[in-house]
Amino acid sequence: MQSVAAPDAFIGHANYASFPRGSVHGPWRVQSLMLVWCRGGRGTVTANGEAHELTSGRFLILPWDHRVRYEANLKEDWQLAGIHVVPQLAPGQPAAFQISHVPPGQEHALPGRSDLRLPGLERVVVGAFHQARPLEILATYIVEWFLRGPDGSESRWLAQASLSEWVRAAQAPVFAPQALPGALRRMLAEI
């Protein structure tokens, strides 16, 4: 597969987050393409009306201008990580390292940003890092890089690499735990 052509794309934000047990965050409308993954614990991400349980090693890729809500499990704290990519930036607009999170129905405060139609990224993508090891390595690197202090030129080529891996993950077979027998699903949930 060839790399994605998105010369104006940049990493708008990347971070680790910890949600206390039982906490709820959102709903928000978010102006980015986003990779979110679980580093520990368990919780539910509701993205564009679809609920997804996120446990260690599982990830979601959320489409542009997604609606999202996070709900941590009642028994344990939940550790997530995320990367936001802005696929296109209008000429003359600054590549500010921030992402607009607004309540549903409200307009975004950061103009000049837009989506770029990429295969598979127009919907929520569900995956597991054990099936996408290069994505896990790249994603972890990007969060650590961003936390050191982002650089504009590096942000652009890291966004290109991210989008290429995200498209690859969207085109891979989906790990579908709901297709497994009930006893095996319960065993995997306990593990």
Side-chain angles (χ1 to χ4, degrees), residues 7-121:
D8 295 326
F10 67 97
I11 304 292
H13 193 74
N15 68 320
Y16 298 121
S18 184
F19 297 95
R21 66 189 71 178
S23 64
V24 176
H25 302 272
W28 294 301
R29 243 182 84 213
V30 184
Q31 193 179 34
S32 73
L33 287 172
M34 182 184 187
L35 171 68
V36 60
W37 71 96
C38 181
R39 300 177 66 225
R42 121 185 1 247
T44 302
V45 176
T46 302
N48 294 347
E50 301 173 19
H52 302 275
E53 184 175 18
L54 215 52
T55 57
S56 190
R58 307 256 312 153
F59 67 83
L60 300 174
I61 302 171
L62 307 179
W64 178 258
D65 202 24
H66 56 274
R67 295 175 321 281
V68 67
R69 179 178 182 267
Y70 301 93
E71 185 172 352
N73 178 288
L74 294 173
K75 296 181 181 179
E76 57 192 329
D77 293 344
W78 191 28
Q79 292 81 42
L80 298 179
I83 299 169
H84 296 270
V85 172
V86 175
Q88 291 191 103
L89 190 61
Q93 292 290 325
F97 296 111
Q98 60 189 51
I99 296 297
S100 179
H101 289 68
V102 298
Q106 185 175 327
E107 287 302 313
H108 291 290
L110 299 168
R113 297 171 177 218
S114 60
D115 193 12
L116 179 64
R117 300 236 181 249
L118 297 170
L121 300 186

Side-chain angles (χ1 to χ4, degrees), residues 79-166:
Q79 292 81 42
L80 298 179
I83 299 169
H84 296 270
V85 172
V86 175
Q88 291 191 103
L89 190 61
Q93 292 290 325
F97 296 111
Q98 60 189 51
I99 296 297
S100 179
H101 289 68
V102 298
Q106 185 175 327
E107 287 302 313
H108 291 290
L110 299 168
R113 297 171 177 218
S114 60
D115 193 12
L116 179 64
R117 300 236 181 249
L118 297 170
L121 300 186
E122 65 282 345
R123 59 178 169 76
V124 175
V125 175
V126 179
F129 279 144
H130 74 270
Q131 295 175 315
R133 185 78 175 122
L135 176 59
E136 179 181 21
I137 293 166
L138 177 62
T140 302
Y141 173 80
I142 289 171
V143 173
E144 295 294 331
W145 163 84
F146 194 90
L147 294 174
R148 283 195 321 247
D151 170 87
S153 61
E154 288 179 2
S155 175
R156 291 195 185 280
W157 62 261
L158 287 170
Q160 290 282 327
S162 294
L163 292 175
S164 292
E165 285 299 322
W166 296 4

